[in-house]
Amino acid sequence: MDQNISLKLLAIGYDPAIMQVVERLLNSHAGWEGIAALTREEGLEKAGSGHYDAILLCVGVSAADEEAIRQAVSHHSSSTKVIRHYGGGSGLLENELRAALDHQ
């Protein structure tokens, strides 16, 4: 991993326009590397193929999808936090992430 990257983040959500914004917001923070997945399958594939500090569950992710993602992540990496993100802009996103990661 790049030494300048302190947080590697995966955001899973099903609205391409919103996820483009979420990905841009994640990458606008110094030291954060964020990527987006637009389907449950893509999210599971990406979650299983690398280490992420946190996985954000965004727009459209159902309770069933959330459970499947949480189970897959728990088998792959016990240190990855799975966080439900409800929107609200970069300040809220940053606060959600920092609060969840501070409670490791």
Side-chain angles (χ1 to χ4, degrees), residues 1 5 7-9 18 22-23 26 29-30 32 36 45 50 56 73-74 77 80 82 87 90:
M1 180 165 50
I5 304 298
L7 282 180
K8 191 167 178 189
L9 308 163
I18 291 173
V22 169
E23 188 172 31
L26 292 175
H29 286 81
W32 292 14
E45 180 182 317
L56 297 171
V73 168
S74 71
S77 172
T80 300
V82 179
S90 66

Side-chain angles (χ1 to χ4, degrees), residues 50-69:
H51 171 75
Y52 295 93
D53 297 293
I55 296 175
L56 297 171
L57 304 178
C58 303
V59 64
V61 176
S62 69
D65 292 345
E66 179 175 353
E67 182 60 28
I69 292 164

Side-chain angles (χ1 to χ4, degrees), residues 59-94:
V59 64
V61 176
S62 69
D65 292 345
E66 179 175 353
E67 182 60 28
I69 292 164
R70 286 184 183 278
Q71 285 182 6
V73 168
S74 71
H75 291 299
H76 178 70
S77 172
S78 62
S79 65
T80 300
K81 297 286 186 180
V82 179
I83 304 163
R84 177 60 83 165
H85 174 62
Y86 295 101
S90 66
L92 181 58
L93 176 61
E94 181 175 354

